[in-house]
């Protein structure tokens, strides 16, 4: 094995130090941009080695050209590559005048248009080459053929192939591949049994009962029904009603003081509603009276008003299984994970409201000009017996509606189950 004098720690230290000076981060940047800047300098560090550079050109860029240094460059334009190099002529008499550009992404896929524009930004020479590296799911999501003069690959493939082609720096390439593949993604790994949580009738009925409390409170206090938020930039699923920049609303979130239903105001901690599962008629009467009192005193909804204190819990507190099921369902409905699979939430006006029978999120496939709508949802009947999620392609003029139910397998991890549901959603686009 070829000897290496570089370590993962040196690579990361170099990348962090160089990233701190990058003009891309002079202003507040999105999370995926920060990660991409660090990856840019990690790759620059590895490619300082002539042996690694030659292996990369042969194995990933698939070119017989050689280069001097491959240097990181700031993104002066959205079509700018992350690393640039001059491709040296293949023979002494040739004067190809070619450039190599390397573009990196972790926050979402390259589109064919992106690749065409970035390749054109290198210049008009037919010898210019663009290497585009994205997540392992993105290569299959290109909306057309890979343009001429472009090599599209994935972080997983780079880590795997370069570890073999450049064994002296295998540890560096493996780290690069893993960081590129996973950076920026929310961690979906909870110590819960997905099969038990989603197929147990008592858990489904209890979660439905708490959703009924949210629905009742939203209709009584706000005159509207909850639906999942579609606000840009959010990294978690939010089932809410009436939450605004200067207005207090309601949200279904982490169980606190026995209830997952909270008052919520932007920028402040949620305050429990103080109403749990309403099993008895007397509990329902007391809860209805409390909500009626809140609805008569509307000052709490404004920024200057005080959110009502929760008071003593009315009804039965939520069980640990309810919180586990909510965490799992909210991971399925996580906008970051869905964007990673090529889906964006449909506009708020087209989002399905929480009803007495269903809860779900409507989605659009990124880059699909037909406007076909998809849904990820649970329920179907008034009496919920399971929380098994379903994915639906809505009916169009060309195709009928189609729905799949995806049940978790025994001992399946939460990460694998979420991936399987999103893969089923993706299959409906084919």
């Amino acid at each position: 094995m070829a000897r290496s004098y570089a370590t993962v720690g040196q690579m990361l230290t170099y990348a962090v130090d160089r990233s701190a000076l990058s003009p891309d981060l002079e202003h507040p940047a999105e999370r995926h941009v920060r990660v991409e800047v660090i990856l840019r300098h990690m790759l620059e560090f590895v490619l300082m080695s002539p042996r690694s550079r030659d292996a990369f050109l042969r194995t990933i860029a698939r070119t017989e050209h050689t280069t001097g240094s491959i240097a990181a460059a700031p993104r002066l334009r959205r079509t700018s590559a992350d690393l640039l190099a001059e491709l040296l002529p293949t023979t002494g008499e040739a004067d190809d005048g070619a450039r190599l550009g390397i573009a990196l992404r972790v926050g979402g896929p390259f589109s064919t248009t992106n690749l065409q524009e970035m390749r054109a930004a290198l210049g008009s020479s037919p010898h210019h080459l663009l290497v585009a590296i994205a997540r392992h799911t993105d290569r299959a999501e290109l909306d057309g053929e890979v343009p001429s003069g472009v090599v599209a690959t994935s972080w997983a493939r780079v880590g795997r192939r370069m570890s073999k082609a450049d064994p002296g720096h295998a540890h560096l390439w493996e780290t690069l591949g893993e960081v590129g593949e996973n950076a920026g993604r929310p961690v979906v790994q909870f110590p819960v049994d997905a099969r038990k949580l989603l197929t147990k009738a008592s858990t489904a009925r209890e979660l439905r009962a708490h959703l009924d409390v949210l629905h009742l409170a939203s209709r009584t206090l706000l005159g509207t029904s909850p639906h999942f938020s579609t606000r840009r930039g959010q990294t978690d699923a939010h089932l809410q009603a009436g939450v605004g920049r200067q207005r207090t609303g309601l949200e279904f979130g982490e169980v606190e003081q026995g209830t997952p239903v909270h008052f919520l105001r932007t920028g402040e901690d949620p305050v429990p509603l103080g109403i749990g599962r309403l099993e008895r008629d007397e509990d329902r009467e007391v809860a209805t009276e409390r909500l009626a009192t809140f609805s008569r005193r509307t000052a709490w909804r404004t920024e200057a008003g005080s959110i009502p204190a929760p008071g003593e819990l009315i009804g039965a507190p939520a069980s640990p299984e309810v919180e586990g099921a909510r965490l799992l369902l909210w991971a399925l409905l996580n906008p970051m994970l869905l964007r990673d699979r090529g889906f964006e939430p449909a506009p708020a006006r087209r989002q399905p409201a929480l009803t007495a029978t269903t809860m779900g999120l409507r989605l659009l496939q990124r880059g699909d000009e037909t406007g076909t709508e998809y849904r990820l949802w649970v329920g179907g009947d008034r009496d919920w017996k399971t929380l098994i999620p379903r994915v639906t392609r809505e009916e169009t003029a060309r195709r009928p509606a189609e729905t799949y139910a995806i049940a978790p397998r025994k001992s399946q991890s939460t990460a694998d189950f979420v991936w399987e549901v999103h893969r089923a959603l993706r299959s409906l686009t084919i």
Side-chain angles (χ1 to χ4, degrees):
M1 179 179 291
R3 186 177 182 183
S4 170
Y5 293 95
T7 67
V8 170
Q10 290 171 332
M11 177 177 68
L12 292 173
T13 300
Y14 175 86
V16 170
D17 289 345
R18 292 295 302 276
S19 298
L21 304 175
S22 173
D24 292 314
L25 302 183
E26 288 180 354
H27 304 288
E30 294 184 14
R31 181 181 181 184
H32 68 86
V33 174
R34 297 196 299 271
V35 175
E36 287 164 0
V37 172
I38 290 175
L39 280 166
R40 176 195 305 168
H41 291 289
M42 289 172 66
L43 184 55
E44 179 186 47
F45 178 87
V46 186
L47 295 178
M48 288 178 183
S49 163
R51 191 194 304 269
S52 298
R53 192 160 58 240
D54 290 344
F56 180 85
L57 292 170
R58 291 193 313 271
T59 307
I60 302 300
R62 300 198 293 272
T63 179
E64 294 303 317
H65 284 80
T66 59
T67 71
S69 61
I70 300 178
R75 289 179 188 163
L76 301 178
R77 301 175 181 82
R78 65 181 181 83
T79 56
S80 298
D82 291 278
L83 296 100
L84 292 168
E86 297 295 324
L87 290 173
L88 304 180
T90 52
T91 66
E93 295 78 19
D95 185 16
D96 298 333
R99 281 195 296 275
L100 169 70
I102 304 175
L104 315 176
R105 289 292 183 276
V106 298
F110 289 106
S111 68
T112 301
T113 301
N114 291 152
L115 297 179
Q116 289 170 338
E117 292 176 344
M118 297 179 83
R119 169 60 180 76
L122 293 175
S124 58
S125 170
H127 302 293
H128 294 327
L129 179 64
L130 176 70
V131 176
I133 310 174
R135 281 186 177 156
H136 66 93
T137 57
D138 297 337
R139 173 61 187 87
E141 293 174 357
L142 289 173
D143 52 9
E145 293 296 322
V146 176
S148 176
V150 176
V151 175
T153 189
S154 68
W155 288 109
R157 189 175 301 141
V158 168
R160 183 174 62 252
R161 296 187 65 187
M162 287 304 302
S163 295
K164 297 177 181 178
D166 183 24
H169 280 155
H171 54 305
L172 303 185
W173 290 112
E174 289 167 358
T175 301
L176 258 169
E178 184 176 353
V179 171
E181 185 178 350
N182 295 296
R185 289 182 172 181
V187 176
V188 184
Q189 191 60 275
F190 312 123
V192 298
D193 184 335
R195 188 166 181 262
K196 181 179 179 181
L197 285 174
L198 300 188
T199 60
K200 194 174 180 181
S202 59
T203 303
R205 292 192 183 100
E206 185 182 357
L207 181 67
R208 179 66 251 186
H210 287 285
L211 288 169
D212 287 341
V213 171
L214 172 67
H215 194 267
L216 173 64
S218 297
R219 299 298 300 174
T220 303
L221 302 181
L222 308 171
T224 188
S225 295
H227 60 70
F228 280 96
S229 171
T230 59
R231 180 176 54 83
R232 288 179 62 85
Q234 63 187 14
T235 58
D236 298 296
H238 295 283
L239 179 62
Q240 56 188 217
V243 179
R245 187 175 297 274
Q246 297 177 338
R247 302 286 282 180
T248 300
L250 295 166
E251 181 174 49
F252 196 87
E254 182 179 357
V255 173
E256 186 176 349
Q257 297 183 30
T259 177
V261 185
H262 310 133
F263 291 107
L264 184 66
R265 181 180 295 164
T266 302
E268 297 187 17
D269 292 334
V271 175
L273 179 65
I275 301 176
R277 179 166 44 125
L278 303 175
E279 299 175 305
R280 304 178 303 172
D281 290 341
E282 50 266 41
D283 289 337
R284 184 170 296 277
E285 290 177 5
V286 176
T288 301
E289 183 179 342
R290 176 179 289 184
L291 292 174
T293 301
F294 291 158
S295 68
R296 289 192 295 270
R297 303 170 183 172
T298 59
W300 57 267
R301 286 214 62 201
T302 66
E303 188 176 21
S306 298
I307 298 176
E312 185 178 351
L313 182 70
I314 300 171
S319 68
E321 287 76 17
V322 164
E323 177 59 10
R326 185 198 68 82
L327 278 172
L328 188 50
L329 293 175
W330 264 229
L332 294 171
L333 296 159
N334 185 291
M336 284 185 67
L337 292 174
L338 289 165
R339 289 188 184 101
D340 200 44
R341 295 299 294 150
F343 292 92
E344 298 284 349
R349 66 181 181 278
R350 287 152 66 184
Q351 286 300 324
L354 174 69
T355 70
T357 58
T358 61
M359 175 188 73
L361 179 66
R362 184 166 282 128
L363 303 159
L364 298 173
Q365 184 187 6
R366 187 167 49 245
D368 179 14
E369 296 180 357
T370 68
T372 302
E373 296 183 341
Y374 303 84
R375 272 188 303 134
L376 177 53
W377 58 285
V378 295
D381 299 308
R382 184 65 186 96
D383 182 21
W384 285 11
K385 297 181 175 62
T386 74
L387 295 172
I388 292 174
R390 292 171 170 80
V391 292
T392 295
R393 184 188 64 241
E394 306 283 16
E395 182 178 3
T396 66
R398 296 190 307 159
R399 295 191 290 185
E402 189 172 359
T403 295
Y404 298 137
I406 304 92
R409 299 188 301 274
K410 186 177 181 180
S411 302
Q412 187 176 29
S413 71
T414 52
D416 287 344
F417 177 62
V418 170
W419 171 255
E420 186 173 338
V421 173
H422 290 175
R423 184 169 56 184
L425 181 63
R426 181 73 186 173
S427 73
L428 290 172
T429 69
I430 301 172

